[in-house]
Amino acid sequence: MGARPASAAHGRPINSSVFWQRLLLPGLAALLLLGGCTGRLDNDSIVHTRNPVKPAELLQTDVDRMATLAMRNNLNSLYRLMNKLYQRNPREWRKNSLPDAAAAERAIQYAIEHNQDWPTLGGRRDVAALDYSLSPAFQGDRVAAFTYAIGSMLVTAHGGRTEFYLTDSFNAQFIHNAARNLEKAGWMLSQRRDATGRPLLLSNEFSEQGNNLSYAVEFGKMVARLDLLTHVLEERYRRMGANYAQSLFLLNFLPVQ
């Protein structure tokens, strides 16, 4: 169901399914091994079973809690991706007026999680910002713009929130669309070139010395979490209908309070 990009850098048609198979299958074993690991920004306390239940969690259903954890982990994957991109593309953070890459990372995280615009994107967010961040017209910090675009897209797809409670609702189609957009974003990151044919941003690497698929692994994690949440939401709504049908069949009255 992934999007099929129109063309590669030299105009040759690209099948996105083949692209993702080539990129993700070699790293599948690593993904499974890393699935239980946490990065420097992960908050272990939200998943540690020995920690007491926080009062706010009493206002969350199981699906709300799952969506909150998935959002937190997806943002953590995105921040790890940002860190990796800055390591391979140090020229980008130097385009800012910030002292180092760490300061740039903190500023981007704050903008994403506090629903603020990123200055060099001219008010663009989510998909509009994503396309612009990897276009020849953009002259600012591409790592910052690319990361912010993905982060704002994730937040927008979840109704503008990063934590979810009983009063919140989800649109499974928007979350599904976000997963497909991430697949395309990963393809764009690997394929977009400047006028001289150089990648706009260095990321995955295939060389005689070895392959670096860590960028694809983080994209794969995010896509998998979004797809799982989509299926859980679809099943929840389907079961609501099934439960209603069962109550009619069994002639049970429905509760009114």
Side-chain angles (χ1 to χ4, degrees):
M1 298 179 66
R4 179 172 181 158
S7 64
H10 302 292
R12 182 163 55 85
I14 292 292
N15 186 312
S16 62
S17 297
V18 173
F19 170 79
W20 281 101
Q21 288 173 12
R22 180 190 175 197
L23 212 55
L24 292 179
L25 288 180
L28 181 58
L31 174 59
L32 294 175
L33 291 173
L34 291 172
C37 299
T38 55
R40 60 188 182 85
L41 296 173
D42 285 347
N43 182 3
D44 292 339
S45 65
I46 62 178
V47 294
H48 203 293
T49 56
R50 289 180 294 180
N51 281 351
V53 175
K54 297 179 181 179
E57 293 179 38
L58 299 177
L59 301 177
Q60 293 179 319
T61 65
D62 290 345
V63 174
D64 294 329
R65 188 61 180 161
M66 174 185 172
T68 299
L69 294 176
M71 172 62 82
R72 183 71 266 166
N73 288 334
N74 276 339
L75 288 178
N76 287 332
S77 285
L78 178 61
Y79 299 153
R80 283 192 293 271
L81 182 66
M82 170 175 59
N83 179 264
K84 292 174 183 293
L85 286 171
Y86 271 138
Q87 288 183 38
R88 291 212 69 192
N89 303 272
R91 68 182 182 278
E92 297 300 324
W93 70 260
R94 294 190 177 99
K95 296 177 181 178
N96 302 299
S97 57
L98 299 169
D100 51 35
E105 291 178 26
R106 289 193 296 270
I108 297 162
Q109 292 179 37
Y110 188 89
I112 291 172
E113 298 188 25
H114 290 80
N115 200 30
Q116 296 182 350
D117 288 339
W118 190 249
T120 58
L121 287 171
R124 297 175 180 85
R125 296 191 178 197
D126 45 75
V127 292
L130 187 55
D131 187 62
Y132 182 56
S133 68
L134 291 180
S135 71
F138 184 77
Q139 299 299 317
D141 179 347
R142 288 190 189 276
V143 172
F146 183 70
T147 304
Y148 173 85
I150 292 178
S152 65
M153 181 193 70
L154 290 173
V155 173
T156 298
H158 289 75
R161 297 176 295 275
T162 58
E163 295 183 345
F164 310 97
Y165 299 94
L166 287 166
T167 56
D168 297 325
S169 60
F170 301 91
N171 188 311
Q173 184 64 54
F174 290 156
I175 296 173
H176 168 83
N177 292 348
R180 307 288 76 78
N181 288 340
L182 278 176
E183 290 176 339
K184 185 174 182 180
W187 178 87
M188 291 167 59
L189 180 64
S190 296
Q191 298 297 317
R192 289 287 175 91
R193 301 286 193 273
D194 62 18
T196 65
R198 292 172 54 85
L200 292 177
L201 288 174
L202 296 174
S203 57
N204 294 300
E205 182 179 15
F206 300 91
S207 66
E208 295 179 356
Q209 289 72 34
N211 299 332
N212 177 6
L213 298 177
S214 59
Y215 301 84
V217 167
E218 295 300 341
F219 274 109
K221 289 180 183 179
M222 290 188 283
V223 170
R225 292 186 192 109
L226 291 173
D227 279 340
L228 177 58
L229 180 57
T230 298
H231 295 319
V232 169
L233 292 173
E234 290 174 343
E235 179 65 13
R236 180 176 71 168
Y237 297 139
R238 189 183 72 84
R239 288 306 306 169
M240 289 172 61
N243 291 341
Y244 177 71
Q246 288 173 353
S247 69
L248 294 178
F249 178 76
L250 298 173
L251 298 179
N252 290 336
F253 289 109
L254 299 176
V256 296
Q257 65 177 4

